[in-house]
Structure formats: C-alpha cells, structure tokens
Amino acid sequence: MALLQISEPGQSTAPHQHRLAVGIDLGTTNSLVASVRSGDVQTLPDEDGSHLLSSVVRYHEDGVEVGAVAAQHAITDPMNTIVSVKRFMGRGISDLRLLGNKLPYHFIDEDKAVPRIHTRGGDVSATEVSAEILKALKRRAVKTLGEEIQGAVITVPAYFDEAQRQATKDAATLAGLNVLRLLNEPTAAAVAYGLDSGQEGVIAVYDLGGGTFDISILRLNQGVFEVLATGGDSALGGDDFDHVIAEWILQQADYEADPEPQLVRLLMHASRNAKETLSEQTEADILIDADEIQWHGSLSRDQMDALIEPLIRKTLMSCRRALRDAEIGNQDIIEIVMVGGSTRVPHVRNKVGEFFECEPLVSIDPDRVVAIGAALQADVLVGNKTDEDMLLLDIIPLSLGIETMGGLSEKIIHRNTPIPVSRAQDFTTYKDGQTAMAVHVVQGERELVSDCRSLAHFELRGFPPQVAGAPRIRVTFQVDADGLLSVHAREENSGTEASVDVKPSYGLTDEEIESMLRASMDHAQEDMLARTLREEQVEAERVVEALDSAIKADAALLTDDERRLISETRDRLIAARVGDDPGLIKKAITELEAACEDFVARRMNTSIRKAMKGHSVDEYATED
C-alpha cells in the first residue's frame, strides 16, 4: 500500500517544484559537492571551474581560508594550516602523529578526550575544522544552484566507528546543513555505478582515499543495494603512501632527527607530487631544499611499488576477510569498482586486478563517483523520486553489546547486520535488593570487555528492590540509517526507564580498528575458554553469596555435621574459583548444591509453614 504525504493547506509542493539536495564527499585530501539537476547528476564547480575542493583550512587573525588558497600556505604556515583533518575525526592525541615522534600541530588540553589545535585564529577541534570545509561546499552549492538547499547526504568510510560518524554529523550541524543521511562511501559508489550501468549481481567496491580504506561486497538486484560484508582500515590511505616515500627520502639524505612540522609538510608535498607523477611516468625527480636538509634525487616507479607494497597487502587482507564474511568467492564477483584518488596508482590497480582475477572498473572518475552516488541518494531522500526509489541496505561493521557480570561482552547486534536495526535482550539483577543497574556499552568482536572498545556508560535507577533474578530489564539497541547508536533500558515490572545516545569521546585507534576482526579470529578458542571460565566464576560467586545469606538467616536449621560438610564444600568451591579450570569450578558448585539439598528443602518447608500459619488449606483451594 502506497503512503500519501498530506500537507497543511497552502503548504503543498507544486507538482513541478524540484527540492534541492546535495551529496557531499567529505574527503581526506579533496572534497566535492554534487546535485541532481534536470535529471542529470553533476559535481558542482567553483568560480574557477574546479570541482575538487582541497580539504585544507588555514586560520589567521582576520578569518579562515578554505581550499586551494589555504593549501598554498601548508608549507610556509604549517601550524595554522590544517590538512588531512578527516584522519583526526573522533580520535585522541596518540593517533595524530605523522613522521617521527612530533605532533603535527600544537595541541592544548592534550589529556582531554577531544584535543583542540592551537592556531593564530583560535583553538579548534577536528570537528570545527571539518565544519569549515562543509561550509565552503554549502556556499558553492547555494551559489551554483541559486537557492538554499533542503538537505545533504554526507558520505563516510564504511569502517568509521560510532565516534567518527557522530563527529561528522556534528560538523554538518555546525555548518548549518540538514543531514538527510550519513552514507557509506562504497555504497555511494555502488549507487553511482548501479544506476549508470543497470547491472545486477555481486560487486566489490575497493575504496582507497587519502586517509581511509574500505572494501565492501554488495549485491545489486532490481534497485536494491544490499551490503553483504564490509572491511577496511580508517587509518590507511594515500597519505600513508606519501609517508613511506618521505621516510625513504630522509633515509637517502641520511637525516636521522625528528623533522620539524615545516619540514614534514615539505617532505609530504614532495612525496605526493612524486607519487602523482609516477602514476603517469616511470621516474620522478625530487628536490628538497630546506635549512635542515638539501637533497636532490629521483624515485622510479619500481622503487615506489616496493615501498607501498606492504600497505597494498594490508588492503588485500581486508578484501579476503570481506569475501569470507560474505560467503562468496572471486568467481561470484561481476565487477570491481575502484573508488578514491589513490586507486590511480598503477600498482594498486594491478594488485587489485590480480587478487579479484578481473579488470577493475574505472569508467567513472574515482574522485567524483562517491559524491555522484550521494547526490542520487539525496535526490531520493528529499522526495524528488517516487517510482524510481532505490533501497539501500547498509550494514554495521563491528558488533555492539553490553558488559555482563565477570567482565564479559554480551553482543546484542552482531557485525554485518543490515541497518537501520533494533535489537533487544532481557537481563536481570545479580544481588538481592538491587535497585540500580550500570549499563556499559561496548563495541568489538572479543568475548571479554577488556578486549573491546568502550563506547558509553549510563545507569538505570529507581526500580523496586527484589530478590536476585526477579527483575526483568530489557536493553534495546537501535542503530539508525546513519550508523549511529542509541541504547534504552527498561525494568519491565515497574516501568523504570533510562537511555543514552551514544556519543563516545573519540574513536578507535589506528591499530584497534584494523585488528579487531583479526584478533577475534586469532583468539577465538582462547576467548571462548576465558568466557567459560568467567561464567563459572560468576556462578560460583552467586552460589556462595546465596549460601552465606541463607545460613545467616536460618543457621538454626543446620546440624553440626551438616554445617561442617557445607563449610568444607564451600571452601573447596572458593579454592576452585580462583583457579583457571572451569570444569573443576563446575564440579565444586555441583558438590556444594548436593551438600545443601536437605538444608534448602528444610528452609522451603519452614517458609511454607510460616506462610500457612493462621490459615487452612481450604482457603487456597480454587474452584473448577
């Protein structure tokens, strides 16, 4: 049944009116904005005809510069000119080092979760810097289209975690943009290619940008874009190619000190130029002329291929895992879509082609394809299409869950689950008389909370005290189409509720986001043994606590022999609990329960007699 949109009188949209919406590719190196006009999707140029906006922001006393004019000062004014800010989104100080051990900028409040960069124009966060880039794209769109835009679809790497996605959305809010949706970059590329070619089947999207890498496996079928699996590294991209080339230059020049920020920028600039030259030629000339170092030499394509080979190999490892998660083989892939400026490197294309055993698809400009797909989706979400609507089924890249007793991670939404999604699970209390419960939200694939990423804490308070196990607390996880998480807890008997919108202080570290899945596989057996041990230890604690409470209340029901037997069996359980043998703990629990059988029966009979005192059995009889 079709749903009709009913407007208030005088507020309906004229049949011919086209709502303006844009798609934005907020990139590490360059950013773009695109829109659908007269049925044709186009990236929007600036007044000089350039479609790419350099993702560079410079702060000075008189204001802010964005784009090419700011990039001109990247070498001469490095501490006030912010480059590659996307790599800083949702991250802490320890993630932000470039070459050597020096930080790329002057940070204040280094101990705080959200570091701020000190510039001549004031202290700013990565979110605020990104907002300046988005403002520039918005101004370009308004000027080109001639009126205010209704909303925007902004793309993010598929492997961005909760903090990085939320930071992106916050930047859009600061820029005055109405975010229709955060869309995974590989999915946006699939939209562009799927609608352009009309193909159906399984495709792989290999997205290697300036600062991030994603691999997504999607099935295209009658306008439905279903993500089967995703993988990648939110801290791997073309910038890392530049880093290894810059380090090679330092080695050639016998320079062993930690380079200062201005020299780092000069080296990175020279390395990027050499990389881009080697995409077209077989040799690149490099000249470094600075106070600390003077070096002139050349880099061949074969030398660069050897330098970047380990980085490409890391991307192919993610590709292999994604295929395994999607439960398909290379023979099932009909197309390999190449996305991101770094896929222009010939060695990248060759290695990807060898891995998937087919020629990569590069018919759409890899710099523009993501923005084009985002614009097509924005056109749908703003209401300009009806019968041609597409359905996007993205997935969540890493499992979400909560901490349970013993430091265990109980997964509520598993990785590769399509989003949006809502999942609920019931939990209960551990101790008698408990009136509050702490909820710890975690992300990751390991069995122990200590091996996962902490996302948020909140408390459910004020439900009535009851015996352990009696309360029924339903915890609901909701992940929206943007991949953002909210958690809600409700004690069903009393109706007490609490919730939290998960806004972590910063995201996963470089190593964490890459290694989470690999670690979960490498340690699968170890994790299960650890989980089993913790479960038995928690059960032992519960049994001992319940026993001590019972003896305190009804010690008079025990004979001396029973008390001695229970005490000895209890001591054996406590000794077993501190060990690492779950089987021995389970056996000791069984022995203690057996030793307490008569005591438990006696307590129950006593309770029944107390309850029946002053009453007859006939009072409890029910009529047929």
Side-chain angles (χ1 to χ4, degrees), residues 307-321:
L307 290 173
I308 65 176
E309 175 75 23
L311 298 172
I312 298 175
R313 196 179 305 123
K314 287 176 69 175
T315 70
L316 297 179
M317 289 173 60
S318 295
C319 293
R320 188 173 291 109
R321 286 196 297 269

Side-chain angles (χ1 to χ4, degrees), residues 119-366:
T119 73
R120 196 178 298 117
D123 301 329
V124 295
S125 67
T127 300
E128 292 168 297
V129 178
S130 294
E132 294 297 338
I133 299 171
L134 291 172
K135 287 177 186 177
L137 293 172
K138 180 185 177 183
R139 287 194 296 268
R140 177 187 296 187
V142 171
K143 185 173 182 179
T144 304
L145 299 174
E147 58 182 283
E148 286 294 326
I149 57 178
Q150 303 295 312
V153 169
I154 301 177
T155 61
V156 292
Y159 237 49
F160 255 23
D161 73 346
E162 294 290 324
Q164 292 164 310
R165 290 173 189 269
Q166 188 62 56
T168 303
K169 201 163 189 178
D170 290 344
T173 300
L174 290 175
L177 287 166
N178 172 32
V179 180
L180 300 170
R181 182 172 178 182
L182 296 181
L183 183 63
N184 285 348
E185 289 166 3
T187 308
V191 169
Y193 271 101
L195 295 183
D196 180 63
S197 65
Q199 290 204 54
E200 294 190 355
V202 179
I203 69 168
V205 181
Y206 181 99
D207 183 356
L208 185 61
T212 59
F213 167 69
D214 285 310
I215 176 68
S216 289
I217 310 297
L218 304 95
R219 178 178 288 116
L220 279 59
N221 182 28
Q222 298 180 352
V224 177
F225 294 76
E226 179 185 4
V227 182
L228 302 178
T230 190
D233 189 335
S234 66
L236 172 62
D239 283 359
D240 297 284
F241 291 3
D242 302 338
H243 291 167
V244 296
I245 295 173
E247 289 168 353
W248 176 83
I249 294 172
L250 291 175
Q251 290 174 0
Q252 301 305 304
D254 294 325
Y255 188 89
E256 298 180 353
D258 279 340
E260 294 298 324
Q262 187 167 351
L263 178 57
V264 169
R265 291 289 178 85
L266 179 62
L267 288 165
M268 295 294 287
H269 180 73
S271 299
R272 179 170 298 170
N273 286 341
K275 176 186 67 179
E276 293 173 354
T277 298
L278 291 173
S279 293
E280 305 294 335
Q281 303 175 20
T282 58
E283 192 164 347
D285 192 58
I286 302 174
L287 174 63
I288 304 296
D289 186 8
D291 293 339
E292 307 99 307
I293 175 175
Q294 291 82 39
W295 182 81
H296 180 242
S298 63
L299 177 67
S300 71
R301 182 182 289 180
D302 288 342
Q303 286 175 311
M304 187 184 77
D305 291 349
L307 290 173
I308 65 176
E309 175 75 23
L311 298 172
I312 298 175
R313 196 179 305 123
K314 287 176 69 175
T315 70
L316 297 179
M317 289 173 60
S318 295
C319 293
R320 188 173 291 109
R321 286 196 297 269
L323 287 172
R324 184 168 58 244
D325 289 343
E327 299 181 348
I328 61 172
N330 285 354
Q331 69 279 1
D332 299 309
I333 303 292
I334 63 169
E335 293 284 10
I336 311 298
V337 176
M338 301 295 278
V339 181
S342 298
T343 61
R344 285 193 171 89
V345 176
H347 196 48
V348 171
R349 292 185 177 181
N350 293 337
K351 284 296 183 180
V352 173
E354 289 175 9
F355 179 85
F356 286 102
E357 300 176 356
C358 66
E359 193 68 24
L361 192 63
V362 292
S363 58
I364 301 181
D365 185 341

Side-chain angles (χ1 to χ4, degrees), residues 500-520:
V500 64
D501 290 326
V502 176
K503 288 190 176 183
S505 54
Y506 55 88
L508 302 174
T509 65
D510 292 351
E511 290 77 17
E512 284 176 328
I513 203 162
E514 176 190 356
S515 65
M516 271 188 164
L517 293 181
R518 186 188 307 138
S520 70

